[in-house]
């Protein structure tokens, strides 16, 4: 069978003027991962390499360029899961690590190496302890200030001024200096990054990395580091025979309280895949009693479903935010395909937008459909399921290669 890798640059509010830059970055990540797959690498290798490329860009909220804490520092979250072994490695609120995903992978792999005296290898490390572990396990560390990008510093300072103005009784906030930053901050900058992959052997893996919320409290850990919330990968998921990989994005507090990655994985098992995903996100996220009083509810996910019997892989991306950027590529493709999808302004936080793509000779399993239902804590929640690459999306930068 052919391998497939897909990446995302988060669900949030991406500036129209920067979409070309984001697409170029996502394609670079896919190409890097695909080079490893074609060279005999596995799914874990691929998602780690793709996420590392995304972390290295100061444009994304991961690694270099992450959002700053309230006191002006970078603290990152990341995790990776291997669908073959079901092991999960994670780091939270770690300072001074250039590529948190590489540290998460080292933690993942260390779990297969027994320690003397019956000691248990860690699966999740946080804060300065994670940085110390990185330095002793050949993961590159750096001075924390080296991870602060000029853009992040500028947004941090302007956001602090706006908060001070509101605390002093002001009724209007100051606009951000650059038009693209104003556009992104208006809709909430939630651009966590991540990747999913199925390799030539049929094994799946997933990864996620994030700098967290802007002006977060020092020590805050988001969904990107939490088991079942940031990413999920499972071959023969729940004994169904299909394999699932999920990488999430959005407001970490919302995703943790609903265990969003595991929620999406379970929903994707169903033969009615697209419809079941929309129903699950609508019922267990948009209408969840665990998010009582929380509005708007911000989430996104990249979901890979691989059916080994038919050698068919289906890719889904969903979001309740204004935009989400994704890119995908198979081992049969000459180049990756990148695009952004968009949710109407009035539906942000109360509706889910989902699109899909099928690979491996199968036909698309989704058709255009829209469903509405009442929610317990707001007037109306809705699920919008869009057929394969239809609906409102920005995918005209180039023609897709056969997959």
């Amino acid at each position: 069978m052919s391998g497939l890798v897909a990446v995302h640059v988060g669900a949030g509010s991406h500036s129209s003027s920067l979409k070309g830059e984001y697409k170029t970055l996502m394609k670079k990540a896919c190409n890097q991962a695909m080079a490893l797959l074609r060279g005999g690498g596995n799914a874990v290798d691929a998602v780690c390499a793709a996420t590392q490329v995304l972390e290295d860009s100061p444009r994304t909220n991961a690694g270099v360029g992450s959002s700053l804490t309230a006191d002006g520092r970078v603290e990152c979250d990341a995790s990776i899961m291997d669908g073959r072994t079901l092991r999960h490695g994670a780091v939270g609120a770690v300072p001074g690590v250039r590529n948190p995903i590489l540290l998460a992978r080292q933690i993942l792999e260390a779990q297969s190496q027994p320690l003397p005296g019956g000691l248990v290898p860690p699966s999740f490390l946080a804060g300065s302890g994670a940085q110390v572990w990185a330095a002793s396990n050949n993961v590159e560390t750096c001075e924390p200030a080296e991870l602060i990008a000029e853009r992040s510093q500028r947004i941090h300072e302007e956001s602090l001024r706006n908060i001070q103005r509101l605390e002093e009784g002001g009724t209007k906030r100051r606009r951000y200096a650059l038009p693209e930053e104003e556009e992104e901050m208006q809709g909430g900058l939630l651009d966590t990054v991540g990747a999913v992959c199925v390799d030539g052997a049929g094994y799946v893996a997933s990864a996620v990395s994030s700098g967290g919320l802007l002006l977060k409290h020092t020590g805050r850990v988001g969904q990107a580091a939490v088991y079942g919330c940031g990413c999920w990968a499972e071959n023969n998921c729940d004994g169904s025979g299909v394999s699932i990989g999920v990488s999430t994005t959005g407001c970490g507090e919302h995703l943790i309280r609903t265990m969003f990655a595991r929620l999406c994985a379970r929903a994707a098992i169903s033969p009615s895949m697209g419809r079941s995903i929309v129903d699950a996100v609508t019922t267990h996220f948009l209408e969840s009693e665990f998010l009582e009083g929380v509005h708007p509810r911000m989430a996104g996910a990249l979901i890979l479903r691989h059916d080994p019997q038919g050698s068919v892989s289906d890719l889904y991306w969903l979001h309740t935010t204004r935009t989400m950027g994704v890119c995908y590529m198979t081992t049969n493709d000459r180049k990756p395909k990148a695009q952004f999808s968009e949710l109407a302004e009035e539906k942000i936080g109360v509706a889910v937008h989902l699109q899909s793509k099928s690979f491996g000779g199968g036909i698309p399993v989704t058709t255009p459909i829209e469903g509405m239902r009442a929610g317990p804590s707001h007037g109306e929640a809705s699920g919008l399921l869009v057929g394969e690459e239809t609906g409102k999306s920005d995918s005209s930068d180039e023609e897709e290669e056969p997959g």
Side-chain angles (χ1 to χ4, degrees), residues 27-106:
K27 290 174 184 178
K28 180 180 179 182
C30 279
N31 280 322
Q32 185 75 20
M34 191 53 62
L36 286 175
L37 286 182
R38 288 171 173 160
N42 60 32
V44 173
D45 296 328
V47 296
C48 189
T51 305
Q52 184 179 356
V53 170
L54 300 175
E55 287 178 338
D56 286 340
S57 170
R59 180 57 62 193
T60 64
N61 180 20
V64 177
S66 290
S67 295
L68 305 187
T69 63
D71 56 3
R73 298 191 296 174
V74 168
E75 294 181 353
C76 295
D77 305 328
S79 63
I80 187 169
M81 187 166 180
D82 182 350
R84 182 180 65 87
T85 65
L86 303 183
R87 292 192 181 101
H88 180 269
V91 291
V94 60
V97 174
R98 192 171 298 279
N99 291 110
I101 196 61
L102 297 183
L103 176 54
R105 181 176 184 176
Q106 284 287 81

Side-chain angles (χ1 to χ4, degrees), residues 13 15 18 22 151 180-189:
S13 182
S15 170
L18 296 177
Y22 280 116
R151 168 177 175 263
E180 61 268 25
E181 291 172 1
E182 172 67 18
E183 183 180 354
E184 292 189 334
M185 296 307 298
Q186 281 274 23
L189 193 60

Side-chain angles (χ1 to χ4, degrees), residues 6-335:
V7 304
H8 69 82
V9 288
S13 182
H14 299 85
S15 170
S16 300
S17 64
L18 296 177
K19 284 182 179 177
E21 186 176 338
Y22 280 116
K23 287 180 180 180
T24 298
L25 175 62
M26 289 190 289
K27 290 174 184 178
K28 180 180 179 182
C30 279
N31 280 322
Q32 185 75 20
M34 191 53 62
L36 286 175
L37 286 182
R38 288 171 173 160
N42 60 32
V44 173
D45 296 328
V47 296
C48 189
T51 305
Q52 184 179 356
V53 170
L54 300 175
E55 287 178 338
D56 286 340
S57 170
R59 180 57 62 193
T60 64
N61 180 20
V64 177
S66 290
S67 295
L68 305 187
T69 63
D71 56 3
R73 298 191 296 174
V74 168
E75 294 181 353
C76 295
D77 305 328
S79 63
I80 187 169
M81 187 166 180
D82 182 350
R84 182 180 65 87
T85 65
L86 303 183
R87 292 192 181 101
H88 180 269
V91 291
V94 60
V97 174
R98 192 171 298 279
N99 291 110
I101 196 61
L102 297 183
L103 176 54
R105 181 176 184 176
Q106 284 287 81
I107 293 171
L108 172 83
E109 294 180 343
Q111 293 171 54
S112 64
Q113 303 165 10
L115 295 178
L119 296 177
V120 179
S123 61
F124 180 13
L125 291 173
S128 58
Q131 184 184 27
V132 170
W133 198 94
S136 62
N137 284 271
N138 300 315
V139 177
E140 182 183 0
T141 59
C142 63
E143 290 299 319
E146 293 179 30
L147 300 177
I148 300 176
E150 180 182 345
R151 168 177 175 263
S152 301
Q153 185 70 55
R154 183 171 57 248
I155 290 176
H156 177 263
E157 293 172 355
E158 293 179 358
S159 297
L160 285 178
R161 285 196 291 268
N162 278 326
I163 290 176
Q164 182 179 3
R165 183 176 289 105
L166 293 174
E167 289 176 341
E168 293 172 351
T171 57
K172 293 184 179 180
R173 68 172 183 83
R174 178 179 175 177
R175 294 178 66 86
Y176 289 85
L178 300 181
E180 61 268 25
E181 291 172 1
E182 172 67 18
E183 183 180 354
E184 292 189 334
M185 296 307 298
Q186 281 274 23
L189 193 60
L190 301 169
D191 48 355
T192 297
V193 304
V196 294
C197 177
V198 58
D199 60 28
Y203 296 121
V204 296
S206 61
V208 62
S209 183
S210 177
L213 296 176
L214 176 65
L215 301 182
K216 66 182 181 180
H217 194 284
T218 296
R220 178 262 190 189
V221 174
Q223 104 286 352
V226 180
Y227 184 77
C229 303
C231 67
W232 191 264
E234 184 178 357
N235 279 82
N236 190 24
C237 190
D238 280 358
S240 64
V242 301
S243 300
I244 307 292
V246 179
S247 180
T248 71
T249 169
C251 179
E253 280 68 16
H254 302 176
L255 305 183
I256 291 172
R257 288 162 68 176
T258 54
M259 295 193 71
F260 198 69
R262 186 72 177 102
L263 166 67
C264 291
R266 282 176 169 162
I269 292 172
S270 169
S272 59
M273 294 160 286
R275 180 72 267 172
S276 65
I277 294 171
V278 169
D279 287 346
V281 173
T282 301
T283 301
H284 300 294
F285 183 78
L286 291 176
E287 298 177 352
S288 174
E289 61 185 9
F290 291 97
L291 295 177
E292 182 70 29
V294 174
H295 305 292
R297 300 180 178 186
M298 312 299 268
L302 181 63
I303 306 169
L304 170 63
R305 182 188 193 272
H306 175 67
D307 183 353
Q309 289 190 339
S311 293
V312 175
S313 297
D314 297 298
L315 188 67
Y316 300 87
W317 54 100
L318 67 90
H319 54 101
T320 67
T321 59
R322 186 172 70 86
T323 59
M324 183 172 179
V326 302
C327 185
Y328 48 82
M329 185 179 189
T330 75
T331 49
N332 296 328
D333 294 335
R334 288 193 297 110
K335 53 186 177 180

